[in-house]
Amino acid sequence: MSAQLDISNVSKIYPGRRGEDGIHALQDVSLKINKGEFISLLGPSGCGKSTLLSIVAGFQTVSDGFILQNDRELVGPSSTRTVVFQNYALFGWMTIQKNVEFGLKAKGVPATARARRARELLASVRLSGFEDKYPHEISGGMKQRAAIARALAPDPEILLMDEPFGALDAQTRVLLQEEIARISTEAGKTVLFVTHGIDEAVFLADRVIVMSPRPGRVRQEVVVPLPRPRTAEMRADPWFVSTVNELWETLKPDWQKEEKQ
Ligand SMILES: Nc1ncnc2c1ncn2[C@@H]1O[C@H](COP(=O)(O)OP(=O)(O)O)[C@@H](O)[C@H]1O
Ligand SMILES: [Mg+2]
């Protein structure tokens, strides 16, 4: 069976401003992702993670190479690929329920079915009882839960997440990591999850793709043998601990360079 997503020799150069060189964000990135796989894309800031994610989302074009989704060239955004950002702008003037329904309305789903589906999704991210709240009335963690429900609403094949828990406090982040591991498995979604958190990348993924600093390339791939569902105790698993340490040793020089800049 061919991969659901086939990223083939993708390079990206952002054009420079007049008289300046362009920014070489990605160089020859190839990555095949199978249906239902959870892939963490790990690397220091500026290595092109968000660029790759937004190319897969269809928001940016490649400078070279191509991407296939189910053997067809991927062009432009699609409701088969939805995105959760760090600061997902939920519509402030809509209730949580209406925010989740939004993508279904665009797809022409009738009102009753829409309402039912949104309630189911909100229950799956444990937000039952908060349907009628507005975004400013709920916590950051709850907003990200709502953003996940909204991204799942059109029943996408692929969920794209760009540092979705980056703005949350450490405890909430751990809770949401466990949630997204559970939800993506239950819903059978393929996930491409961008993070600079080593621990988070390993905890969530079937495979961790480690990127090098600019221009971003795939430098290493780590297959994670931990079973699912992923649970908190796995962070103490000897394999987990030593893998996180090894990745830290690999990535440390990049972080040190980043810090000096
Ligand atoms: N729209 C853009 N125009 C020009 N340069 C960009 C744009 N987006 C990102 N870049 C540059 O491309 C490089 C990679 O950025 P990005 O993909 O955001 O990395 P990451 O998400 O890993 O931090 C950075 O040097 C960044 O400044
Ligand atoms: Mg980024």
Side-chain angles (χ1 to χ4, degrees):
M1 203 186 71
S2 57
Q4 184 172 50
L5 201 64
D6 184 354
I7 300 171
S8 190
N9 299 99
V10 164
S11 297
K12 176 69 181 179
I13 300 172
Y14 288 108
R17 272 178 262 153
R18 214 189 312 195
E20 287 174 23
D21 287 341
I23 293 174
H24 201 157
L26 295 171
Q27 174 67 43
D28 257 335
V29 173
S30 293
L31 176 62
K32 285 186 182 9
I33 304 178
N34 296 315
K35 186 173 184 316
E37 256 193 312
F38 198 120
I39 301 290
S40 292
L41 203 57
L42 173 68
S45 127
C47 76
K49 303 182 297 296
S50 294
T51 298
L52 185 58
L53 190 112
S54 64
I55 289 173
V56 174
F59 302 150
Q60 294 273 3
T61 55
V62 300
S63 305
D64 201 4
F66 61 88
I67 301 183
L68 303 179
Q69 181 181 2
N70 303 319
D71 298 324
R72 293 166 70 172
E73 185 155 16
L74 180 156
V75 221
S78 153
S79 61
T80 65
R81 291 171 260 116
T82 56
V83 190
V84 180
F85 296 105
Q86 178 171 320
N87 294 306
Y88 201 103
L90 292 168
F91 301 125
W93 64 93
M94 282 185 196
T95 62
I96 298 308
Q97 169 84 18
K98 294 291 175 203
N99 265 282
V100 177
E101 283 186 30
F102 183 78
L104 298 171
K105 202 169 174 180
K107 277 188 112 184
V109 179
T112 11
R114 213 156 67 208
R116 191 179 54 233
R117 175 97 182 110
R119 272 195 304 275
E120 284 167 9
L121 283 162
L122 285 168
S124 82
V125 297
R126 304 187 206 276
L127 280 180
S128 291
F130 294 89
E131 292 87 349
D132 297 330
K133 298 280 184 203
Y134 285 86
H136 74 270
E137 297 177 300
I138 60 175
S139 69
M142 289 167 123
K143 277 186 220 165
Q144 281 314 71
R145 288 169 193 268
I148 292 166
R150 182 159 99 169
L152 289 171
D155 199 21
E157 291 181 3
I158 304 168
L159 192 58
L160 303 169
M161 306 186 88
D162 193 350
E163 313 223 15
F165 310 144
L168 305 175
D169 66 73
Q171 289 77 355
T172 306
R173 201 180 311 149
V174 166
L175 288 176
L176 285 218
Q177 286 163 1
E178 286 166 27
E179 293 279 292
I180 195 63
R182 174 185 64 80
I183 292 163
S184 62
T185 309
E186 280 174 10
K189 299 297 177 202
T190 307
V191 184
L192 183 57
F193 188 99
V194 161
T195 180
H196 63 259
I198 297 174
D199 182 276
E200 171 172 270
V202 178
F203 180 76
L204 291 173
D206 297 312
R207 273 191 292 152
V208 180
I209 305 299
V210 187
M211 291 180 70
S212 63
R214 211 171 76 205
R217 303 161 198 259
V218 175
R219 86 190 301 173
Q220 190 186 349
E221 180 178 310
V222 178
V223 176
V224 180
L226 302 170
R228 293 196 182 273
R230 296 284 159 86
T231 51
E233 320 81 77
M234 289 177 189
R235 294 176 199 275
D237 179 280
W239 182 89
F240 183 89
V241 174
S242 68
T243 302
V244 168
N245 283 333
E246 281 163 28
L247 284 169
W248 172 234
E249 290 306 323
T250 307
L251 289 166
K252 204 157 138 187
D254 299 343
W255 258 282
Q256 283 166 336
K257 228 185 290 167
E258 176 75 23
E259 200 194 359
K260 287 193 196 109
Q261 274 169 11

